[in-house]
């Protein structure tokens, strides 16, 4: 830890949590910068991630899953369609509805972005940390997994 707590300061565990949260935020931003995905609103990113994970969906099912009103989902989907990130086809079960899915071009972009982030992080680990330090990071990753695994 970079700061030593004093009698009036936060407890060491609280300080560790604060530093870890800040560091993870910086790492996330650095990784995001490597992907060059552009400026997307959080709601747009959330819909894209849901479509990637769950597959094609109607606007109403996306709205339900995202905790939004269907009327609020329409502008999100329209912006994603206009950007060429999603496309819509008639729902075979109900032709009145549209099934939205990721475009092939966007899927390719996602894969390239993940590869770019992976490459950057691999290079950074290799260039900035000794093999012993890389082992320490590996041990720390195991500990961090314990924090988030339920």
């Amino acid at each position: 830890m970079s700061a030593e707590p004093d009698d009036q300061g936060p407890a060491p565990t609280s300080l560790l949590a604060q530093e870890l949260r800040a560091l993870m935020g910086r790492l996330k931003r650095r990784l995001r910068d490597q992907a060059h995905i552009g400026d997307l609103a959080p709601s747009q990113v959330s819909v894209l991630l849901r479509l990637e994970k769950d597959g094609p969906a109607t606007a109403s099912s996306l709205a339900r899953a995202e905790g939004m009103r269907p009327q609020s989902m329409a502008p999100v989907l329209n912006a994603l369609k206009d950007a060429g990130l999603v496309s819509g086809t008639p729902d075979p079960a109900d032709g009145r509805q549209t099934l939205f899915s990721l475009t092939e071009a966007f899927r390719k972009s996602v894969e390239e972005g993940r590869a770019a982030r992976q490459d950057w992080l691999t290079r950074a680990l290799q260039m900035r940390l000794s093999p012993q330090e890389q082992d320490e990071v590996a041990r720390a990753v195991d500990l961090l997994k314990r924090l988030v695994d339920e």
Side-chain angles (χ1 to χ4, degrees):
M1 291 188 295
S2 61
E4 290 295 320
D6 58 23
D7 289 338
Q8 282 73 36
T13 304
S14 176
L15 183 58
L16 175 61
Q18 179 182 354
E19 289 184 359
L20 182 59
R21 185 180 46 78
L23 177 63
M24 297 306 282
R26 287 177 45 208
L27 178 59
K28 185 177 177 180
R29 283 188 293 281
R30 289 293 299 266
L31 289 169
R32 188 175 46 233
D33 290 346
Q34 300 306 309
H36 310 292
I37 61 169
D39 295 325
L40 295 174
S43 60
Q44 293 170 329
V45 171
S46 184
V47 167
L48 292 170
L49 289 171
R50 186 167 301 281
L51 288 172
E52 181 186 27
K53 179 181 175 237
D54 298 339
T58 63
S60 57
S61 66
L62 286 168
R64 226 179 359 266
E66 294 296 315
M68 301 171 70
R69 294 185 334 205
Q71 301 88 334
S72 301
M73 183 55 69
V76 172
L77 289 169
N78 287 334
L80 294 173
K81 278 177 55 176
D82 291 346
L85 306 180
V86 300
S87 61
T89 58
D91 184 344
D94 180 355
R96 298 170 298 169
Q97 294 199 53
T98 301
L99 273 180
F100 292 94
S101 59
L102 301 180
T103 62
E104 240 358 91
F106 182 65
R107 282 188 189 281
K108 183 178 179 190
S109 173
V110 167
E111 290 172 13
E112 290 170 354
R114 285 190 179 126
R117 291 188 298 272
Q118 180 70 27
D119 290 346
W120 173 82
L121 190 53
T122 299
R123 283 192 316 275
L125 288 166
Q126 290 171 337
M127 292 172 47
R128 296 180 183 168
L129 301 178
S130 70
Q132 294 79 16
E133 289 170 324
Q134 290 176 43
D135 288 342
E136 288 180 42
V137 170
R139 286 190 296 279
V141 166
D142 286 338
L143 295 173
L144 291 171
K145 285 178 185 177
R146 285 182 27 205
L147 288 178
V148 298
D149 288 344
E150 294 182 31

